[in-house]
Amino acid sequence: MSEDRKYITFALGKGRLAKKTLELLEEIGITCEEMKDKNTRKLIFVNEELKLKFFLAKGPDVPTYVEYGAADIGVVGSDTILEEGRRVYEVLDLGFGKCRMCVCGPASARELLQHHEMIRVASKYPNIAKDYFYNKKHQTVDIIKLNGSVELGPIVGLADVIVDIVETGSTLRENGLEVLEEICPLSARMIVNQVSMKMEAGRIKELITKIRGKMMECETH
Ligand code: PRP
């Protein structure tokens, strides 16, 4: 292995997706022992032998790191990819982190979605909400950006409906809300910097092939 071989850097969205991604990488022989230390405050982890670096970032920042080449590869939900609209290659659906982007609200709001009424829509995903209402439904709406606990919107009277992720549906149920319309299915995706895809084509394609192989193996068992 040549000494000057370049590192390949992974940006992983903090939380469940990063955990799942590390499990998947481990199955194809890529580990990062440093990262397993729960108490560490380190931000970047290195596997010297394989010439790999890993860092954890806030989900919405992952496509940014990848677009600018600060990371060669990123793993992030397709919700974030759609929302951020960065110039990156989306190379693989990793099949985990499955959920749905939906318009949700109280049952009484269903009516408001039928007649092109001017309604208020709260969301952590203003671009996805805008694209859905303006381009698909041709309904002019007022979009209010929130940063979390979006289900509060209709409950406290800030918005008529929300555009948000639904996984198990329990947050909605426990707050008296329901799915009114489904926008699209979501899952974790692997994204690649456009220059890295050319400069490191061999190593990146090998990695994609290995992950794909492992995923197919898991499906058939
Ligand atoms: C997400 C999403 C919903 C919830 C859906 O929120 O925004 O609130 O999970 O999951 P469920 O259908 O299984 O209940 P997250 O936990 O990421 O926190 P946030 O509300 O602060 O964004």
Side-chain angles (χ1 to χ4, degrees):
M1 199 177 293
S2 82
E3 279 307 301
D4 56 2
R5 194 161 79 135
K6 189 189 164 291
Y7 286 96
I8 288 197
T9 302
F10 287 76
L12 308 179
K14 268 186 198 170
R16 272 175 292 180
L17 287 192
K19 192 164 173 275
K20 281 272 193 184
T21 306
L22 292 173
E23 284 167 12
L24 180 62
L25 291 175
E26 194 146 0
E27 286 187 50
I28 60 161
I30 295 178
T31 54
C32 190
E33 293 305 316
E34 272 193 321
M35 233 169 159
K36 292 182 182 164
D37 176 2
K38 295 267 177 293
N39 297 318
T40 185
R41 300 288 297 165
K42 264 179 104 161
L43 294 172
I44 187 143
F45 306 92
V46 186
N47 179 326
E48 283 298 347
E49 201 190 323
L50 298 173
K51 286 278 180 228
L52 298 173
K53 285 186 187 171
F54 300 87
F55 64 81
L56 297 174
K58 285 263 185 194
D61 294 338
V62 168
T64 314
Y65 286 110
V66 174
E67 181 183 291
Y68 285 92
D72 302 287
I73 295 174
V75 174
V76 71
S78 48
D79 50 320
T80 304
I81 299 172
L82 290 170
E83 180 63 24
E84 297 297 315
R86 295 279 176 185
R87 281 167 301 178
V88 295
Y89 291 135
E90 190 180 315
V91 295
L92 202 53
D93 182 343
L94 294 168
F96 54 79
K98 282 193 177 152
C99 47
R100 300 175 292 155
M101 184 65 74
C102 298
V103 181
C104 312
S108 57
R110 201 175 286 277
E111 182 79 354
L112 302 172
L113 299 170
Q114 310 300 326
H115 310 293
H116 293 89
E117 289 190 49
M118 177 72 185
I119 56 170
R120 287 204 288 194
V121 181
S123 186
K124 253 188 351 185
Y125 302 91
N127 294 326
I128 294 176
K130 194 169 167 190
D131 178 62
Y132 182 69
F133 278 99
Y134 282 62
N135 301 331
K136 303 222 169 63
K137 282 179 68 81
H138 306 291
Q139 181 170 3
T140 307
V141 296
D142 186 6
I143 293 165
I144 304 168
K145 163 91 200 264
L146 288 179
N147 293 297
S149 304
V150 179
E151 289 84 357
L152 271 173
I155 300 173
V156 299
L158 175 73
D160 299 293
V161 296
I162 60 172
V163 164
D164 200 18
I165 287 174
V166 179
E167 191 182 353
T168 62
S170 55
T171 312
L172 291 179
R173 266 193 305 279
E174 289 183 27
N175 291 290
L177 306 174
E178 56 187 64
V179 171
L180 303 174
E181 287 176 2
E182 186 170 326
I183 300 178
C184 62
L186 303 166
S187 58
R189 305 291 161 94
M190 180 175 282
I191 55 175
V192 177
N193 171 267
Q194 295 186 342
V195 176
S196 305
M197 196 69 221
K198 293 188 184 71
M199 303 302 285
E200 292 289 344
R203 290 170 78 193
I204 293 175
K205 282 185 184 156
E206 187 190 338
L207 177 77
I208 295 170
T209 307
K210 276 191 186 165
I211 294 177
R212 210 177 260 146
K214 181 52 73 179
M215 284 168 58
M216 283 166 74
E217 209 177 279
C218 293
E219 269 169 30
T220 52
H221 283 109

